[in-house]
Every structure is written in structure tokens, then in C-alpha cells.
């Protein structure tokens, strides 16, 4: 069936004599092939596990970023609320709602027990009258001003055009609110 191999000549014959040949050896290749297959399979499985772990970490990271964004928004809303409530005018309004009044002139005690200053009792200022809109003298006697059509002067005519403010009515409204503003001390900032 197959021809016997022809004898080798020259250089090839000398090399063949140096290396003995026992025929085709598949027994020596089998462990090497199994080792290569096991290494490739193990590497593939390791890559799949690593990829799964990275994907799981990626999903966890995106979830944590979303939670961080929500918590940051909530923290900023709470900070705006605190800032709004700590403004001087808001503090003063809340203190008045609680029944607090501005203090009088303070007195100080020296270490030797002497009083420095003239203490006075804090009293509540009289409530300021709320300004009520007065009808314009040019309007008919039975006409009621429309609260939706008020202009800069606080009153409107029935025809929809706002008349010019009377100098006397402006002076009266300013003089009614001026004593209240002078009797309360100006609010102080919290030191920011």
C-alpha cells in the first residue's frame, strides 16, 4: 500500500542518525493537547466570570449614582429650606408668631457686681394697621374697586385705567407705616 521510505541522503541522513525515530508518537502529544484545551477552557470560563462580575458592578455603580443624585437633590432642597427659614425677616416673622418682642436696651453686670447700663422692660409694639384700599374720589359713589385690576397705586377705576395716585393718600399711608418701622430695630444678619 504505501511504499517504504527511501533512504535519506546527505545532510538529512546525518540528522536522522542523531535523532532516533520510533515512529509516529501520539502518546506524547495527548497530555500536551489536553493541557492546552484545559488552559483555553479555563481562561474562557475565567473571562466569562470576570465579565459577569464587571457587569454586576456596573449595574450597582449606576444604581449608586442614581441614589447619589436623588440624595444630592434632596440635600439641596433641604438646604434651600433652611436658608429660607434662617433669613432675618423670616426669623423675625416666626418670632412674632411665637409672641416674642424686640428687647429693650440691655444692661450688663460687671465682675464686681455693679450694673452697667439702664435696663428697660421689653414691651410689644402696637400692631401696625393694615392698609386698606380707599376708593378713588373720581369714581362714582356706588362703585367698588376691582381687586384684580389694581394698579401701582392700589386702586383702579371701573373703566380699567388706573388714575394717578393722590399725593395726600400716599402721604397718609406712608405716615401710618412709618412709626411702626421706627419702633422696631433693624434685623441683624447671623454673621455670615
Amino acid at each position: 500500500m504505501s511504499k517504504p521510505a527511501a533512504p535519506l541522503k546527505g545532510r538529512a541522513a546525518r540528522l536522522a542518525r542523531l535523532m532516533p525515530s520510533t515512529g509516529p508518537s501520539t502518546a506524547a502529544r495527548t497530555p500536551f493537547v489536553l493541557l492546552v484545551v484545559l488552559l483555553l477552557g479555563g481562561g474562557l470560563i475565567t473571562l466569562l466570570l470576570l465579565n459577569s462580575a464587571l457587569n454586576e458592578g456596573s449595574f450597582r455603580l449606576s444604581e449608586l449614582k442614581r441614589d447619589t443624585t436623588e440624595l444630592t437633590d434632596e440635600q439641596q432642597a433641604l438646604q434651600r429650606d433652611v436658608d429660607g427659614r434662617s433669613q432675618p425677616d423670616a426669623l423675625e416673622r416666626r418670632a412674632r408668631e411665637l409672641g416674642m418682642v424686640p428687647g429693650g436696651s440691655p444692661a450688663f453686670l460687671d465682675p464686681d457686681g455693679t450694673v452697667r447700663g439702664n435696663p428697660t422692660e421689653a414691651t410689644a409694639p402696637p400692631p401696625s394697621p393694615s392698609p386698606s384700599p380707599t376708593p378713588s374720589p373720581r369714581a362714582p359713589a356706588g362703585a367698588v374697586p376691582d381687586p384684580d385690576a389694581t394698579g401701582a397705586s392700589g386702586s383702579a377705576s371701573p373703566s380699567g385705567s388706573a388714575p394717578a395716585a393722590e399725593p395726600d393718600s400716599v402721604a397718609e399711608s406712608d405716615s401710618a407705616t412709618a412709626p411702626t418701622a421706627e419702633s422696631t430695630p433693624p434685623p441683624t444678619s447671623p454673621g455670615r
Side-chain angles (χ1 to χ4, degrees):
M1 293 199 209
S2 66
K3 293 183 183 181
L8 298 174
K9 296 180 183 178
R11 191 175 202 183
R14 280 180 287 185
L15 286 174
R17 278 181 293 199
L18 292 175
M19 298 173 70
S21 71
T22 57
S25 171
T26 59
R29 287 188 198 170
T30 305
F32 178 72
V33 171
L34 286 177
L35 179 67
V36 169
V37 168
L38 286 176
L39 286 176
L40 288 175
L44 182 62
I45 290 172
T46 304
L47 283 175
L48 288 173
L49 291 175
L50 183 63
N51 192 17
S52 299
L54 287 175
N55 283 339
E56 183 179 338
S58 174
F59 287 132
R60 179 78 176 132
L61 181 64
S62 64
E63 180 182 322
L64 289 174
K65 281 183 179 179
R66 187 184 70 240
D67 290 346
T68 302
T69 302
E70 290 173 3
L71 291 174
T72 301
D73 292 344
E74 182 180 351
Q75 187 263 343
Q76 289 174 350
L78 290 172
Q79 186 63 42
R80 280 192 305 266
D81 189 33
V82 167
D83 289 344
R85 290 176 187 248
S86 64
Q87 291 177 351
D89 57 341
L91 288 174
E92 180 183 7
R93 184 177 356 97
R94 181 72 179 134
R96 288 194 189 281
E97 288 173 1
L98 292 173
M100 296 180 166
V101 295
S105 61
F108 300 97
L109 290 177
D110 286 331
D112 60 356
T114 60
V115 178
R116 196 172 47 169
N118 187 13
T120 59
E121 183 177 333
T123 58
S128 61
S130 61
S132 61
T134 57
S136 172
R138 296 181 191 155
V144 178
D146 185 16
D148 294 334
T150 57
S153 65
S155 62
S157 66
S159 64
S161 63
E166 297 283 328
D168 295 337
S169 65
V170 171
E172 289 174 1
S173 66
D174 286 344
S175 65
T177 59
T180 306
E182 290 174 3
S183 65
T184 59
T188 58
S189 65
R192 285 193 186 177

